[in-house]
Amino acid sequence: MQPIMTNMAALAVALLYYFWRAHYQSQQRRRRLLCQRVAYLLWVVAGQVKNSDSGLSATCRS
């Protein structure tokens, strides 16, 4: 009876770890995708500013 309980405890710990790891990886994937999207957005905006004549000046024209 004791070996069965030990094996069940090890199985429970392993299952908990695998569920936690799957959740952690999905969160990491979501963060990485967000960072890639923000980087692409900044790259596109920087390209538009570089190609425009006015640029981003702080002066006001009246």
Side-chain angles (χ1 to χ4, degrees):
M1 186 69 162
Q2 293 247 337
I4 292 174
M5 295 304 285
T6 305
N7 288 338
M8 292 298 286
L11 178 63
V13 170
L15 285 175
L16 284 173
Y17 172 75
Y18 289 134
F19 283 129
W20 173 82
R21 184 71 179 160
H23 175 70
Y24 178 77
Q25 285 178 339
S26 72
Q27 293 293 320
Q28 289 295 100
R29 192 175 306 118
R30 191 176 306 163
R31 285 187 196 118
R32 190 176 334 119
L33 182 60
L34 179 62
C35 287
Q36 289 173 349
R37 288 179 179 174
V38 170
Y40 179 72
L41 171 72
L42 293 173
W43 181 67
V44 168
V45 170
Q48 289 176 354
V49 169
K50 180 181 174 184
N51 294 334
S52 70
D53 292 333
S54 63
L56 291 176
S57 62
T59 58
C60 295
R61 296 180 189 170
S62 304

